[in-house]
Every structure is written in structure tokens, then in C-alpha cells.
Amino acid sequence: MTTTRVFLRGGLGNQFFEWLHALTLAGAGADVALDTSFLRKARNNQTLGRLELAGVFADLKLPLRHSGALWRIEPAFVRAARLLGALRTDARVADGSRPARYHYGYYQHPRHFSAQALQQAREQLRPALRTPPAGLQRYAALHVRGGDYAALPYNREQIGQLGAGYYRRVVEALERDWPGLQWLIVSDDYAHARTVLAPLLPAGRGVFLRDHLGGSETAEQALQALANADVLACANSSFSALAGYVGRAHTVFSPAPWFRGPALAETDPSLPPWRRLGADFAATP
């Protein structure tokens, strides 16, 4: 009988880091399953409410569990399990010692997974991420996050949309260090991306992925574009962080701080080799 469940929550990037945490627990000897009970569509949120990992990984290496309508009592379940000492959040590191029955968090800080789990993920995912956008071979990818970062009050106040200052620093580094690279912009909200980047992009230097693909794109195409870049500039998003973890970029930029809210400082997924650039955030309404 499985004794440890790691709840999957959020979209593909979130699920990737939760999966890494689960692999780390399994590597330390725990009997682990991934629990999809809390995957559901949230109003005004881009979370698709499905197991997006299954669309990328052929084999998750761990069993799946699902408990009917458990999501209807999610807050009560979490409080009760925590009071009973059966639930561990991402406030604690995954050390493999006497794991709690339930693991409930986003687990995107590097302290929550082992080097072995990350290597396993890279070996498994890299063969599936080998298709750059047609016509592009060497390029820098800039990820701009919008969508629910602007739509939801909590996201605006605590996560925050990155401002032009961070991307100006990225553009300056690209012009200085890699003047021959083409720039590809990937976003979930191209109207927002154009507003932020238009004043920063020299004429003819940047192409938007949606335009390059003829007016539409899938999440898989966006991930492929980010993962095959030679240089990657992450937004403060687990989606581009995923590309930084398993993609082929020799240089990855990340914002510092990763999130606007100080309470989220311990959820920064940046790896030690990444180049941290000062972040500014869009004003909140």
C-alpha cells in the first residue's frame, strides 16, 4: 500500500516541480504516488485542471491516485491533515526521513529535490524536447508572463508581473554578449508582451512565437521553443523555469527577486549557475 502521496496542483510547470519532489522521496526509499485529486479548473486562472505532465512524459515513473471529489473539501482536508501531523508543506526540505503521509505544496525551490531526481528528469524529458520552431536554429528566448498574473488579486500583489526593467537588462546582456543571436518572444499574453517589450526591441531583432507560427500556438510548441533556445530569459514562471531545468540553453537569466511578495522568497527555483538580474514589477491597480 502506498504510504506517501504528493498532490499535484497547478499547470505543467508546477506539476514538474511537484513530480521532482516525489521522485526525490522515492529515491530516498519512500513508497510514493502522485495524487491528482486537487487538479481542477479555477476561475480566471490558467490552470487547466488536468494532468499536463502526462502530455510531456511518456512514463511518470510513479503510480497515480485520485480520490473522487476530495477537491470539494480541500481546505478542510489540508487543515485536518496538518493538525494530525500527516501533512508536510514545501516549508520543509525533502530529506527522505520519515516522510509525512501527504505532501502539499509547489516544491519549486532546489532544496526540495535531489540531483539524482533532476538528472532522471533531464534524461527522460530532453529526448521529447528536440523540436525548435521551424526556421530557427540559434536564438535567445524571452518568456513574458501575463494572464492570471494580472487577473487575480493575489497574483498581482504577491507574484507580480515583471516590469520593463528586468527585460531591459536581458536585452542589454544579449546585445553585449551574443550580438548574432535572433530573439524569440514566448508569452501566454502577447498583448502584454508587446506592451512591455516594444520600446526595448531594436528594429528587426525580435520575433513573437505566435507570429512566427502563423497566428496560433500550443503549450507544447511554447515549451519546445523555450527548451531549444541557446540563451533563455525566464519570466517568474515555473513554465520557463522548467525549460531552464531540462532545456539546452547554455545561459539562463532569472529575475531577482523571483516574486514580488517577500513571503514567497523561499519559492525561487533559480539554479546556482543561472545569471540573476534585478527585477522590477508592474504597478498594481
Side-chain angles (χ1 to χ4, degrees):
M1 179 179 178
T2 298
T3 58
T4 302
R5 293 194 185 193
V6 175
F7 288 103
L8 295 180
R9 303 159 64 217
L12 175 59
N14 298 127
Q15 293 173 30
F16 168 77
F17 286 101
E18 293 150 7
W19 178 69
L20 272 185
H21 174 70
L23 286 179
T24 298
L25 293 173
D31 188 13
V32 183
L34 301 171
D35 195 306
T36 62
S37 300
F38 295 147
L39 285 179
R40 67 190 189 281
K41 178 66 177 177
R43 181 179 298 177
N44 295 324
N45 201 303
Q46 292 176 319
T47 297
L48 297 180
R50 66 171 183 258
L51 182 59
E52 294 186 72
L53 275 180
V56 178
F57 293 89
D59 181 6
L60 297 178
K61 304 297 184 183
L62 297 169
L64 296 175
R65 298 290 184 269
H66 186 87
S67 301
L70 185 63
W71 63 269
R72 296 182 183 275
I73 60 167
E74 180 177 349
F77 172 85
V78 170
R79 285 195 300 271
R82 183 182 288 116
L83 287 172
L84 293 172
L87 183 139
R88 181 172 296 174
T89 69
D90 49 9
R92 295 183 61 185
V93 67
D95 58 11
S97 61
R98 299 177 61 86
R101 177 77 167 88
Y102 303 110
H103 287 242
Y104 180 89
Y106 289 111
Y107 298 105
Q108 67 179 32
H109 192 281
R111 69 175 179 273
H112 294 301
F113 53 82
S114 66
Q116 292 79 10
L118 179 56
Q119 183 60 31
Q120 183 178 355
R122 285 172 170 166
E123 291 173 354
Q124 188 169 345
L125 186 53
R126 279 176 172 168
L129 293 175
R130 295 183 298 186
T131 310
L136 296 179
Q137 294 184 359
R138 296 188 64 248
Y139 61 93
L142 286 68
H143 187 220
V144 182
R145 190 71 161 78
D148 60 320
Y149 278 24
L152 300 178
Y154 176 86
N155 290 356
R156 290 196 303 268
E157 297 166 4
Q158 298 299 320
I159 294 178
Q161 287 182 303
L162 289 171
Y166 168 70
Y167 291 104
R168 182 177 295 108
R169 295 179 183 95
V170 169
V171 166
E172 290 171 351
L174 291 175
E175 290 185 310
R176 180 182 65 247
D177 299 333
W178 301 280
L181 284 184
Q182 187 171 7
W183 302 346
L184 179 69
I185 296 92
V186 180
S187 182
D188 62 312
D189 184 344
Y190 281 97
H192 170 68
R194 292 178 193 278
T195 298
V196 172
L197 295 179
L200 308 177
L201 300 180
R205 292 289 282 124
V207 59
F208 292 85
L209 179 63
R210 179 169 294 177
D211 295 343
H212 182 76
L213 296 178
S216 64
E217 70 190 59
T218 65
E220 182 178 355
Q221 288 172 318
L223 182 59
Q224 292 276 7
L226 295 172
N228 283 280
D230 292 89
V231 178
L232 172 64
C234 292
N236 53 344
S237 165
S238 57
F239 188 74
S240 49
L242 159 59
Y245 271 58
V246 302
R248 57 182 294 269
H250 57 71
T251 302
V252 178
F253 294 106
S254 63
W258 186 270
F259 290 134
R260 182 198 300 271
L264 298 179
E266 295 300 313
T267 60
D268 185 337
S270 301
L271 291 173
W274 291 6
R275 291 174 61 174
R276 310 295 304 281
L277 297 178
D280 61 324
F281 297 92
T284 57

